[in-house]
Amino acid sequence: MEKKELEYLIKSGEGINLEFKENFDSKSISKSIVAFANSEGGRILLGINDKGEVKGVHITNKLKSEIQDIARKCDPEVKIALESFENILIMNIYEGKNKPYKCSNGFFIRQGSSSQKLSTDEIREFFNKERKIIFDERINPEFSFKNGFDRKKLDIFMEKAKISRTIPEKEILKNLGTLGENGAGFKNAGVLFFCDHIERFFPHAIITCVLYKGIDKQYIIDKKDFHLDILTNYNDVLNYFYKNLKLVYKIEGFGPRKEILEIPDEALKEAIVNAIAHRDYNERGARIQVDIFDDRVEISNPGGLIIKEEEFGKRSLSRNPLIFGLLQRLDLVEQVGSGINRIKMAMKQAGLKLPKFEFGKFFAVILYRPTKGDLGRIAGEKTREKTREKTREKIIKLIKESKGITQEELAEKIGISIKGIEWNLQQLKEKGILKRIGPDRGGYWEVRENGEYK
């Protein structure tokens, strides 16, 4: 490996086919070796910490022999190749041809930038049932640099993933896992991310958004199909939400009002990413569907759960680990299994009804829109805040006109109780807008410089 490629790998960070390890630990390395063998292969850089800092290791023949021995003891044996650059040991793990592979600690599969343990039944189901894991790693014979590849899409991806062009384009795509061995063709995941139009290659991979009048599918107001690459489609769906969901005005403290969607932005983003990452792309008779009703938003995708239903929300297993890993590089996915809980938390913090999840041949997330009561409560809070704002503005104005004005005089002029004046004065004091000079009796209030109430 050349220095330039190694520097690129370190800067690009951990992913589905790259892992950093600061020190040698046989247990940890054995897990990673079988995880890469059970996925599409990858590299382990020994001597690099999680932050991408070069710490280095003492490379000896004994260390190399121990690592080769770990690979031989996997069941079945895993093919690896070792190379070194200065004080960094590079372990190249090849995709296994006799999956699944197991180490002494069990079966592991690569999910994003981590290795996840599976039971024997799960690993068998993962590789055999409905051809799962095959789709995003399969070479697409129709797509090529000359047919469908959009270089601008790659540029956008690299910018958002903070990857620099320090090595040739093919090497970049290969290290992202989107090209086959020796650069032999694009994998389906590469088509989905870097194509000009998804429907040219996968008509079922478009996303359909529909706006209805009422709470059923009887009256359609608007319908849009999004058929570009995965990242563009994701952003277009979000814009569809921004266009067709209501805005709520939120005022925090003394700051300006903030426009937020009636359904939390985070919940909508997580639900869309979940559908893109986990849908069954082998199912050609269905697509990701976004339905907006008067009372709810439903986001559904073909393909049910791979994990057991009782483990839903506690752990996650993507049927498209390469797609999942690429989304993770874009910071659209965090740690494995956290998305569902983030959706629940976002809805709870917004004071909305908790989301509903439906399983079967389709997986659906149902996010409930605010009821009239919810909107009334929000409007009531906004009205009260505006009333308080006007009261404090009057207090500031009267104090500026007469520093020695009393609470009784403020109450009389503004038309509220003395307790109300006391409360507002305390709020202004805590915000640093007012300062009390002297004792309660005989003293006065001072408006601090640039302390106008806003």
Side-chain angles (χ1 to χ4, degrees):
M1 179 180 294
E2 295 182 357
K3 182 179 181 180
K4 188 176 289 186
E5 183 180 0
L6 179 61
E7 289 176 344
Y8 165 83
L9 289 175
I10 295 172
K11 287 181 180 179
S12 66
E14 294 179 299
I16 189 170
N17 51 12
L18 181 64
E19 184 167 351
F20 300 153
K21 291 191 181 296
E22 185 172 349
N23 301 303
F24 174 74
D25 178 83
S26 59
K27 185 177 179 181
S28 176
I29 286 177
S30 65
K31 292 178 182 179
S32 298
I33 286 177
V34 296
F36 282 125
N38 281 328
S39 301
E40 55 169 14
R43 291 187 177 109
I44 300 172
L45 302 186
L46 186 60
I48 310 290
N49 66 15
D50 292 338
K51 296 179 180 179
E53 299 170 338
V54 177
K55 298 297 181 178
V57 292
H58 183 51
I59 301 173
T60 63
N61 290 332
K62 180 182 178 182
L63 175 62
K64 293 180 179 179
S65 295
E66 287 183 16
I67 293 172
Q68 290 284 7
D69 191 50
I70 289 172
R72 281 193 294 269
K73 288 182 177 178
C74 293
D75 183 19
E77 179 180 338
V78 176
K79 181 183 177 183
I80 69 170
L82 303 179
E83 56 181 317
S84 59
F85 188 91
E86 295 180 351
N87 59 349
I88 299 172
L89 183 62
I90 303 156
M91 304 176 218
N92 297 287
I93 297 97
Y94 299 95
E95 179 179 0
K97 296 181 180 180
N98 298 302
K99 301 175 184 178
Y101 291 81
K102 178 184 179 183
C103 66
S104 59
N105 294 296
F107 295 98
F108 291 83
I109 193 76
R110 198 71 179 164
Q111 291 283 289
S113 60
S114 62
S115 300
Q116 185 174 350
K117 187 174 184 178
L118 303 178
S119 69
T120 304
D121 290 339
E122 285 175 329
I123 196 74
R124 285 173 179 165
E125 181 181 14
F126 192 69
F127 285 107
N128 298 323
K129 186 180 178 182
E130 299 178 358
R131 299 178 296 164
K132 290 177 174 58
I133 202 177
I134 298 175
F135 174 83
D136 60 348
E137 296 178 3
R138 192 183 305 151
I139 298 295
N140 190 299
E142 298 177 6
F143 186 85
S144 67
F145 284 103
K146 294 182 179 181
N147 182 35
F149 177 71
D150 189 336
R151 189 162 279 102
K152 290 182 180 178
K153 304 294 174 62
L154 176 61
D155 290 338
I156 293 171
F157 180 94
M158 292 176 64
E159 181 181 355
K160 291 187 177 296
K162 298 178 181 177
I163 299 173
S164 59
R165 281 184 176 273
T166 55
I167 60 175
E169 188 171 80
K170 283 189 177 182
E171 289 300 313
I172 292 172
L173 290 165
K174 184 179 177 182
N175 284 315
L176 287 174
T178 55
L179 286 181
E181 290 186 17
N182 300 317
F186 278 89
K187 297 178 181 179
N188 283 334
V191 180
L192 293 172
F193 275 87
F194 308 126
C195 66
D196 48 10
H197 288 81
I198 280 180
E199 62 182 347
R200 286 184 56 196
F201 304 93
F202 306 111
H204 60 289
I206 67 177
I207 301 178
T208 297
C209 293
V210 185
L211 177 66
Y212 300 94
K213 180 180 180 181
I215 59 173
D216 55 32
K217 295 185 176 183
Q218 188 172 359
Y219 300 106
I220 296 177
I221 298 175
D222 185 59
K223 180 181 178 182
K224 288 285 189 300
D225 289 329
F226 299 113
H227 47 73
L228 299 178
D229 60 288
I230 276 182
L231 181 57
T232 304
N233 288 349
Y234 165 80
N235 289 321
D236 285 343
V237 172
L238 290 181
N239 288 331
Y240 195 84
F241 284 136
Y242 299 147
K243 178 182 176 181
N244 293 293
L245 293 178
K246 296 176 182 177
L247 288 173
V248 178
Y249 298 99
K250 184 177 181 182
I251 301 175
E252 295 181 345
F254 295 93
R257 72 178 185 176
K258 181 181 179 182
E259 292 183 350
I260 59 174
L261 282 178
E262 56 179 304
I263 293 177
D265 187 77
E266 183 178 6
L268 294 168
K269 289 179 178 178
E270 288 290 345
I272 291 298
V273 168
N274 183 81
I276 291 172
H278 298 293
R279 74 149 289 171
D280 185 354
Y281 287 92
N282 285 310
E283 176 54 66
R284 296 180 176 272
R287 61 186 63 172
I288 294 173
Q289 182 88 17
V290 176
D291 296 316
I292 302 178
F293 301 93
D294 286 355
D295 64 337
R296 69 195 187 279
V297 172
E298 294 185 5
I299 301 166
S300 60
N301 60 270
L305 295 178
I306 302 177
I307 60 173
K308 297 177 181 178
E309 192 170 322
E310 58 266 26
E311 294 181 324
F312 177 71
K314 300 176 182 177
R315 60 193 295 257
S316 176
L317 185 62
S318 174
R319 57 168 48 88
N320 305 297
L322 181 50
I323 292 173
F324 184 92
L326 293 171
L327 290 170
Q328 195 173 48
R329 284 188 176 275
L330 295 171
D331 287 331
L332 297 180
V333 175
E334 293 188 19
Q335 67 264 34
V336 175
S338 63
I340 296 301
N341 289 329
R342 284 201 298 276
I343 292 175
K344 292 179 179 178
M345 183 59 67
M347 296 296 283
K348 182 179 179 180
Q349 289 177 344
L352 298 176
K353 184 178 178 181
L354 289 180
K356 181 180 178 182
F357 304 96
E358 294 182 346
F359 316 111
K361 290 186 177 180
F362 279 75
F363 173 80
V365 179
I366 302 173
L367 304 173
Y368 293 97
R369 301 175 72 174
T371 63
K372 290 182 179 180
D374 293 328
L375 292 174
R377 171 179 53 79
I378 295 170
E381 290 175 353
K382 184 173 68 173
T383 301
R384 285 193 295 273
E385 183 58 39
K386 284 188 175 182
T387 301
R388 292 167 183 161
E389 182 179 341
K390 290 180 179 179
T391 297
R392 293 167 194 165
E393 287 175 350
K394 291 178 182 178
I395 290 174
I396 294 295
K397 182 180 179 182
L398 289 168
I399 289 175
K400 282 184 175 181
E401 292 173 354
S402 175
K403 289 185 178 182
I405 192 169
T406 65
Q407 292 184 11
E408 290 79 4
E409 289 170 334
L410 286 170
E412 183 179 350
K413 289 179 179 292
I414 295 174
I416 63 173
S417 68
I418 292 177
K419 284 189 176 181
I421 292 295
E422 289 176 350
W423 186 84
N424 280 288
L425 287 171
Q426 182 62 31
Q427 295 297 308
L428 290 168
K429 182 181 177 182
E430 290 177 359
K431 294 294 181 181
I433 296 174
L434 289 182
K435 180 180 180 181
R436 185 67 181 177
I437 307 298
D440 291 341
R441 289 189 178 276
Y444 61 91
W445 288 102
E446 180 180 84
V447 180
R448 291 195 168 185
E449 186 178 355
N450 298 323
E452 292 184 4
Y453 182 73
K454 296 179 180 179

